[in-house]
PDB file of all heavy atoms in Angstrom:
ATOM      1  N   SER A  26       7.227  -3.649 -14.703  1.00 89.00           N
ATOM      2  CA  SER A  26       6.917  -3.767 -16.128  1.00 89.00           C
ATOM      3  C   SER A  26       6.700  -2.567 -16.816  1.00 89.00           C
ATOM      4  O   SER A  26       6.375  -1.494 -16.154  1.00 89.00           O
ATOM      5  CB  SER A  26       5.791  -4.764 -16.197  1.00 89.00           C
ATOM      6  OG  SER A  26       4.640  -4.246 -15.642  1.00 89.00           O
ATOM      7  N   ASP A  27       6.751  -2.523 -18.084  1.00 77.00           N
ATOM      8  CA  ASP A  27       6.573  -1.317 -18.910  1.00 77.00           C
ATOM      9  C   ASP A  27       5.160  -1.140 -19.190  1.00 77.00           C
ATOM     10  O   ASP A  27       4.583  -1.707 -20.118  1.00 77.00           O
ATOM     11  CB  ASP A  27       7.425  -1.481 -20.220  1.00 77.00           C
ATOM     12  CG  ASP A  27       7.367  -0.193 -21.023  1.00 77.00           C
ATOM     13  OD1 ASP A  27       6.906   0.830 -20.556  1.00 77.00           O
ATOM     14  OD2 ASP A  27       7.738  -0.268 -22.232  1.00 77.00           O
ATOM     15  N   ARG A  28       4.420  -0.312 -18.478  1.00 70.00           N
ATOM     16  CA  ARG A  28       3.049   0.047 -18.668  1.00 70.00           C
ATOM     17  C   ARG A  28       2.861   1.516 -18.543  1.00 70.00           C
ATOM     18  O   ARG A  28       1.853   1.976 -17.998  1.00 70.00           O
ATOM     19  CB  ARG A  28       2.170  -0.684 -17.703  1.00 70.00           C
ATOM     20  CG  ARG A  28       2.212  -2.219 -17.802  1.00 70.00           C
ATOM     21  CD  ARG A  28       1.152  -2.843 -16.852  1.00 70.00           C
ATOM     22  NE  ARG A  28       1.220  -4.309 -16.967  1.00 70.00           N
ATOM     23  CZ  ARG A  28       0.546  -4.985 -17.843  1.00 70.00           C
ATOM     24  NH1 ARG A  28      -0.184  -4.352 -18.734  1.00 70.00           N
ATOM     25  NH2 ARG A  28       0.588  -6.260 -17.917  1.00 70.00           N
ATOM     26  N   GLY A  29       3.784   2.245 -19.234  1.00 74.00           N
ATOM     27  CA  GLY A  29       3.582   3.707 -19.140  1.00 74.00           C
ATOM     28  C   GLY A  29       3.647   4.292 -17.712  1.00 74.00           C
ATOM     29  O   GLY A  29       2.956   5.203 -17.406  1.00 74.00           O
ATOM     30  N   SER A  30       4.552   3.709 -16.930  1.00 74.00           N
ATOM     31  CA  SER A  30       4.569   4.089 -15.535  1.00 74.00           C
ATOM     32  C   SER A  30       5.135   5.521 -15.358  1.00 74.00           C
ATOM     33  O   SER A  30       5.800   6.080 -16.290  1.00 74.00           O
ATOM     34  CB  SER A  30       5.597   3.241 -14.842  1.00 74.00           C
ATOM     35  OG  SER A  30       6.772   3.039 -15.538  1.00 74.00           O
ATOM     36  N   GLN A  31       4.575   6.233 -14.430  1.00 79.00           N
ATOM     37  CA  GLN A  31       4.853   7.634 -14.287  1.00 79.00           C
ATOM     38  C   GLN A  31       5.358   8.122 -12.929  1.00 79.00           C
ATOM     39  O   GLN A  31       6.035   9.114 -12.873  1.00 79.00           O
ATOM     40  CB  GLN A  31       3.594   8.388 -14.611  1.00 79.00           C
ATOM     41  CG  GLN A  31       2.318   8.090 -13.724  1.00 79.00           C
ATOM     42  CD  GLN A  31       1.188   8.848 -14.240  1.00 79.00           C
ATOM     43  OE1 GLN A  31      -0.002   8.436 -13.990  1.00 79.00           O
ATOM     44  NE2 GLN A  31       1.295  10.044 -14.847  1.00 79.00           N
ATOM     45  N   SER A  32       5.055   7.444 -11.815  1.00 88.00           N
ATOM     46  CA  SER A  32       5.588   7.857 -10.521  1.00 88.00           C
ATOM     47  C   SER A  32       5.791   6.647  -9.640  1.00 88.00           C
ATOM     48  O   SER A  32       5.168   5.603  -9.899  1.00 88.00           O
ATOM     49  CB  SER A  32       4.613   8.844  -9.867  1.00 88.00           C
ATOM     50  OG  SER A  32       3.262   8.303  -9.898  1.00 88.00           O
ATOM     51  N   PHE A  33       6.722   6.817  -8.779  1.00 93.00           N
ATOM     52  CA  PHE A  33       7.341   5.754  -7.977  1.00 93.00           C
ATOM     53  C   PHE A  33       7.485   6.116  -6.541  1.00 93.00           C
ATOM     54  O   PHE A  33       7.877   7.230  -6.216  1.00 93.00           O
ATOM     55  CB  PHE A  33       8.669   5.400  -8.560  1.00 93.00           C
ATOM     56  CG  PHE A  33       8.654   5.058 -10.110  1.00 93.00           C
ATOM     57  CD1 PHE A  33       8.706   6.216 -10.957  1.00 93.00           C
ATOM     58  CD2 PHE A  33       8.575   3.819 -10.553  1.00 93.00           C
ATOM     59  CE1 PHE A  33       8.661   5.944 -12.339  1.00 93.00           C
ATOM     60  CE2 PHE A  33       8.452   3.530 -11.963  1.00 93.00           C
ATOM     61  CZ  PHE A  33       8.458   4.651 -12.804  1.00 93.00           C
ATOM     62  N   PHE A  34       7.088   5.151  -5.734  1.00 94.00           N
ATOM     63  CA  PHE A  34       6.979   5.435  -4.298  1.00 94.00           C
ATOM     64  C   PHE A  34       7.738   4.353  -3.434  1.00 94.00           C
ATOM     65  O   PHE A  34       7.682   3.155  -3.834  1.00 94.00           O
ATOM     66  CB  PHE A  34       5.590   5.472  -3.839  1.00 94.00           C
ATOM     67  CG  PHE A  34       4.745   6.491  -4.595  1.00 94.00           C
ATOM     68  CD1 PHE A  34       4.231   6.149  -5.866  1.00 94.00           C
ATOM     69  CD2 PHE A  34       4.484   7.766  -4.089  1.00 94.00           C
ATOM     70  CE1 PHE A  34       3.448   7.181  -6.587  1.00 94.00           C
ATOM     71  CE2 PHE A  34       3.706   8.664  -4.770  1.00 94.00           C
ATOM     72  CZ  PHE A  34       3.231   8.407  -6.033  1.00 94.00           C
ATOM     73  N   TRP A  35       8.397   4.729  -2.323  1.00 96.00           N
ATOM     74  CA  TRP A  35       8.825   3.772  -1.365  1.00 96.00           C
ATOM     75  C   TRP A  35       8.030   3.988  -0.053  1.00 96.00           C
ATOM     76  O   TRP A  35       8.079   5.126   0.518  1.00 96.00           O
ATOM     77  CB  TRP A  35      10.283   3.983  -1.091  1.00 96.00           C
ATOM     78  CG  TRP A  35      11.143   3.453  -2.237  1.00 96.00           C
ATOM     79  CD1 TRP A  35      11.723   4.095  -3.279  1.00 96.00           C
ATOM     80  CD2 TRP A  35      11.532   2.053  -2.450  1.00 96.00           C
ATOM     81  NE1 TRP A  35      12.413   3.201  -4.070  1.00 96.00           N
ATOM     82  CE2 TRP A  35      12.299   1.952  -3.524  1.00 96.00           C
ATOM     83  CE3 TRP A  35      11.228   0.853  -1.643  1.00 96.00           C
ATOM     84  CZ2 TRP A  35      12.791   0.768  -3.997  1.00 96.00           C
ATOM     85  CZ3 TRP A  35      11.778  -0.303  -2.140  1.00 96.00           C
ATOM     86  CH2 TRP A  35      12.531  -0.397  -3.312  1.00 96.00           C
ATOM     87  N   TYR A  36       7.480   2.923   0.424  1.00 96.00           N
ATOM     88  CA  TYR A  36       6.818   2.936   1.726  1.00 96.00           C
ATOM     89  C   TYR A  36       7.566   2.048   2.685  1.00 96.00           C
ATOM     90  O   TYR A  36       8.091   1.022   2.337  1.00 96.00           O
ATOM     91  CB  TYR A  36       5.365   2.366   1.571  1.00 96.00           C
ATOM     92  CG  TYR A  36       4.383   3.352   0.939  1.00 96.00           C
ATOM     93  CD1 TYR A  36       4.359   3.585  -0.463  1.00 96.00           C
ATOM     94  CD2 TYR A  36       3.465   4.034   1.756  1.00 96.00           C
ATOM     95  CE1 TYR A  36       3.386   4.418  -1.007  1.00 96.00           C
ATOM     96  CE2 TYR A  36       2.582   4.887   1.175  1.00 96.00           C
ATOM     97  CZ  TYR A  36       2.564   5.153  -0.214  1.00 96.00           C
ATOM     98  OH  TYR A  36       1.702   5.984  -0.753  1.00 96.00           O
ATOM     99  N   ARG A  37       7.567   2.445   3.904  1.00 97.00           N
ATOM    100  CA  ARG A  37       8.072   1.672   5.043  1.00 97.00           C
ATOM    101  C   ARG A  37       6.990   1.150   5.864  1.00 97.00           C
ATOM    102  O   ARG A  37       6.053   1.958   6.274  1.00 97.00           O
ATOM    103  CB  ARG A  37       9.060   2.587   5.805  1.00 97.00           C
ATOM    104  CG  ARG A  37       9.709   1.891   7.116  1.00 97.00           C
ATOM    105  CD  ARG A  37      10.639   2.785   7.772  1.00 97.00           C
ATOM    106  NE  ARG A  37       9.973   3.984   8.250  1.00 97.00           N
ATOM    107  CZ  ARG A  37      10.580   5.117   8.515  1.00 97.00           C
ATOM    108  NH1 ARG A  37      11.867   5.263   8.392  1.00 97.00           N
ATOM    109  NH2 ARG A  37       9.866   6.203   8.980  1.00 97.00           N
ATOM    110  N   GLN A  38       7.092  -0.113   6.200  1.00 96.00           N
ATOM    111  CA  GLN A  38       6.014  -0.658   7.095  1.00 96.00           C
ATOM    112  C   GLN A  38       6.775  -1.476   8.256  1.00 96.00           C
ATOM    113  O   GLN A  38       7.428  -2.454   8.054  1.00 96.00           O
ATOM    114  CB  GLN A  38       5.218  -1.700   6.304  1.00 96.00           C
ATOM    115  CG  GLN A  38       4.028  -2.227   7.126  1.00 96.00           C
ATOM    116  CD  GLN A  38       3.130  -3.090   6.212  1.00 96.00           C
ATOM    117  OE1 GLN A  38       3.515  -3.617   5.244  1.00 96.00           O
ATOM    118  NE2 GLN A  38       1.833  -3.229   6.692  1.00 96.00           N
ATOM    119  N   TYR A  39       6.559  -0.957   9.425  1.00 96.00           N
ATOM    120  CA  TYR A  39       7.024  -1.641  10.649  1.00 96.00           C
ATOM    121  C   TYR A  39       6.133  -2.747  10.966  1.00 96.00           C
ATOM    122  O   TYR A  39       4.956  -2.696  10.654  1.00 96.00           O
ATOM    123  CB  TYR A  39       7.196  -0.644  11.869  1.00 96.00           C
ATOM    124  CG  TYR A  39       8.192   0.403  11.725  1.00 96.00           C
ATOM    125  CD1 TYR A  39       7.901   1.722  11.634  1.00 96.00           C
ATOM    126  CD2 TYR A  39       9.572   0.018  11.637  1.00 96.00           C
ATOM    127  CE1 TYR A  39       8.912   2.726  11.506  1.00 96.00           C
ATOM    128  CE2 TYR A  39      10.592   0.984  11.608  1.00 96.00           C
ATOM    129  CZ  TYR A  39      10.195   2.318  11.512  1.00 96.00           C
ATOM    130  OH  TYR A  39      11.189   3.273  11.375  1.00 96.00           O
ATOM    131  N   SER A  40       6.661  -3.785  11.597  1.00 92.00           N
ATOM    132  CA  SER A  40       5.801  -4.948  11.980  1.00 92.00           C
ATOM    133  C   SER A  40       4.566  -4.601  12.789  1.00 92.00           C
ATOM    134  O   SER A  40       4.645  -3.826  13.715  1.00 92.00           O
ATOM    135  CB  SER A  40       6.689  -5.903  12.796  1.00 92.00           C
ATOM    136  OG  SER A  40       5.962  -7.059  13.085  1.00 92.00           O
ATOM    137  N   GLY A  41       3.407  -5.019  12.281  1.00 88.00           N
ATOM    138  CA  GLY A  41       2.180  -4.691  12.952  1.00 88.00           C
ATOM    139  C   GLY A  41       1.572  -3.317  12.692  1.00 88.00           C
ATOM    140  O   GLY A  41       0.629  -2.968  13.264  1.00 88.00           O
ATOM    141  N   LYS A  42       2.310  -2.583  11.833  1.00 92.00           N
ATOM    142  CA  LYS A  42       1.811  -1.194  11.552  1.00 92.00           C
ATOM    143  C   LYS A  42       1.464  -1.098  10.081  1.00 92.00           C
ATOM    144  O   LYS A  42       1.703  -1.990   9.251  1.00 92.00           O
ATOM    145  CB  LYS A  42       2.921  -0.199  11.910  1.00 92.00           C
ATOM    146  CG  LYS A  42       3.376  -0.174  13.363  1.00 92.00           C
ATOM    147  CD  LYS A  42       2.263   0.330  14.212  1.00 92.00           C
ATOM    148  CE  LYS A  42       2.777   0.438  15.678  1.00 92.00           C
ATOM    149  NZ  LYS A  42       1.708   0.956  16.523  1.00 92.00           N
ATOM    150  N   SER A  43       0.857   0.028   9.751  1.00 93.00           N
ATOM    151  CA  SER A  43       0.459   0.217   8.299  1.00 93.00           C
ATOM    152  C   SER A  43       1.639   0.958   7.616  1.00 93.00           C
ATOM    153  O   SER A  43       2.487   1.548   8.237  1.00 93.00           O
ATOM    154  CB  SER A  43      -0.791   1.085   8.270  1.00 93.00           C
ATOM    155  OG  SER A  43      -0.696   2.221   8.955  1.00 93.00           O
ATOM    156  N   PRO A  44       1.608   0.923   6.264  1.00 94.00           N
ATOM    157  CA  PRO A  44       2.690   1.498   5.521  1.00 94.00           C
ATOM    158  C   PRO A  44       2.677   3.072   5.598  1.00 94.00           C
ATOM    159  O   PRO A  44       1.609   3.623   5.705  1.00 94.00           O
ATOM    160  CB  PRO A  44       2.380   1.068   4.080  1.00 94.00           C
ATOM    161  CG  PRO A  44       1.502  -0.145   4.166  1.00 94.00           C
ATOM    162  CD  PRO A  44       0.679   0.139   5.407  1.00 94.00           C
ATOM    163  N   GLU A  45       3.817   3.652   5.561  1.00 93.00           N
ATOM    164  CA  GLU A  45       3.951   5.060   5.512  1.00 93.00           C
ATOM    165  C   GLU A  45       4.923   5.478   4.443  1.00 93.00           C
ATOM    166  O   GLU A  45       5.977   4.811   4.201  1.00 93.00           O
ATOM    167  CB  GLU A  45       4.337   5.603   6.824  1.00 93.00           C
ATOM    168  CG  GLU A  45       5.754   5.063   7.336  1.00 93.00           C
ATOM    169  CD  GLU A  45       6.171   5.638   8.659  1.00 93.00           C
ATOM    170  OE1 GLU A  45       5.658   6.706   9.048  1.00 93.00           O
ATOM    171  OE2 GLU A  45       7.077   5.094   9.234  1.00 93.00           O
ATOM    172  N   LEU A  46       4.611   6.598   3.755  1.00 93.00           N
ATOM    173  CA  LEU A  46       5.442   7.016   2.566  1.00 93.00           C
ATOM    174  C   LEU A  46       6.704   7.587   3.058  1.00 93.00           C
ATOM    175  O   LEU A  46       6.717   8.414   4.009  1.00 93.00           O
ATOM    176  CB  LEU A  46       4.654   8.007   1.779  1.00 93.00           C
ATOM    177  CG  LEU A  46       5.392   8.586   0.542  1.00 93.00           C
ATOM    178  CD1 LEU A  46       5.467   7.513  -0.525  1.00 93.00           C
ATOM    179  CD2 LEU A  46       4.728   9.801  -0.038  1.00 93.00           C
ATOM    180  N   ILE A  47       7.840   7.181   2.547  1.00 94.00           N
ATOM    181  CA  ILE A  47       9.097   7.874   2.922  1.00 94.00           C
ATOM    182  C   ILE A  47       9.779   8.517   1.698  1.00 94.00           C
ATOM    183  O   ILE A  47      10.473   9.527   1.935  1.00 94.00           O
ATOM    184  CB  ILE A  47      10.116   6.762   3.513  1.00 94.00           C
ATOM    185  CG1 ILE A  47      10.314   5.508   2.583  1.00 94.00           C
ATOM    186  CG2 ILE A  47       9.704   6.337   4.875  1.00 94.00           C
ATOM    187  CD1 ILE A  47      11.462   4.623   3.044  1.00 94.00           C
ATOM    188  N   MET A  48       9.480   8.145   0.526  1.00 93.00           N
ATOM    189  CA  MET A  48      10.105   8.821  -0.717  1.00 93.00           C
ATOM    190  C   MET A  48       9.204   8.575  -1.874  1.00 93.00           C
ATOM    191  O   MET A  48       8.580   7.599  -1.981  1.00 93.00           O
ATOM    192  CB  MET A  48      11.454   8.173  -1.055  1.00 93.00           C
ATOM    193  CG  MET A  48      12.614   8.440   0.000  1.00 93.00           C
ATOM    194  SD  MET A  48      13.213  10.067  -0.165  1.00 93.00           S
ATOM    195  CE  MET A  48      14.099  10.119  -1.759  1.00 93.00           C
ATOM    196  N   PHE A  49       9.295   9.562  -2.763  1.00 92.00           N
ATOM    197  CA  PHE A  49       8.612   9.396  -4.054  1.00 92.00           C
ATOM    198  C   PHE A  49       9.689  10.061  -5.087  1.00 92.00           C
ATOM    199  O   PHE A  49      10.360  10.962  -4.841  1.00 92.00           O
ATOM    200  CB  PHE A  49       7.241  10.033  -4.083  1.00 92.00           C
ATOM    201  CG  PHE A  49       7.205  11.559  -3.880  1.00 92.00           C
ATOM    202  CD1 PHE A  49       7.362  12.448  -4.981  1.00 92.00           C
ATOM    203  CD2 PHE A  49       7.052  12.078  -2.666  1.00 92.00           C
ATOM    204  CE1 PHE A  49       7.306  13.740  -4.791  1.00 92.00           C
ATOM    205  CE2 PHE A  49       7.077  13.424  -2.436  1.00 92.00           C
ATOM    206  CZ  PHE A  49       7.205  14.260  -3.489  1.00 92.00           C
ATOM    207  N   ILE A  50       9.523   9.576  -6.314  1.00 93.00           N
ATOM    208  CA  ILE A  50      10.388  10.029  -7.378  1.00 93.00           C
ATOM    209  C   ILE A  50       9.660   9.893  -8.711  1.00 93.00           C
ATOM    210  O   ILE A  50       8.968   8.959  -8.962  1.00 93.00           O
ATOM    211  CB  ILE A  50      11.773   9.301  -7.410  1.00 93.00           C
ATOM    212  CG1 ILE A  50      12.675   9.933  -8.432  1.00 93.00           C
ATOM    213  CG2 ILE A  50      11.571   7.837  -7.633  1.00 93.00           C
ATOM    214  CD1 ILE A  50      14.158   9.406  -8.190  1.00 93.00           C
ATOM    215  N   TYR A  51       9.778  11.006  -9.514  1.00 89.00           N
ATOM    216  CA  TYR A  51       9.075  10.972 -10.774  1.00 89.00           C
ATOM    217  C   TYR A  51      10.069  10.974 -12.027  1.00 89.00           C
ATOM    218  O   TYR A  51       9.734  10.476 -13.077  1.00 89.00           O
ATOM    219  CB  TYR A  51       8.258  12.257 -10.943  1.00 89.00           C
ATOM    220  CG  TYR A  51       7.156  12.489  -9.898  1.00 89.00           C
ATOM    221  CD1 TYR A  51       6.763  13.738  -9.508  1.00 89.00           C
ATOM    222  CD2 TYR A  51       6.450  11.364  -9.375  1.00 89.00           C
ATOM    223  CE1 TYR A  51       5.725  13.911  -8.562  1.00 89.00           C
ATOM    224  CE2 TYR A  51       5.433  11.515  -8.464  1.00 89.00           C
ATOM    225  CZ  TYR A  51       5.160  12.775  -8.096  1.00 89.00           C
ATOM    226  OH  TYR A  51       4.146  13.004  -7.147  1.00 89.00           O
TER     227      TYR A  51
END
Side-chain angles (χ1 to χ4, degrees):
Chain A
S26 59
D27 183 13
R28 293 186 183 276
S30 46
Q31 57 184 155
S32 48
F33 306 83
F34 303 82
W35 283 99
Y36 284 79
R37 177 177 62 200
Q38 186 176 23
Y39 291 117
S40 180
K42 300 292 186 181
S43 54
E45 57 179 343
L46 181 70
I47 53 172
M48 290 285 288
F49 63 92
I50 186 167
Y51 298 148

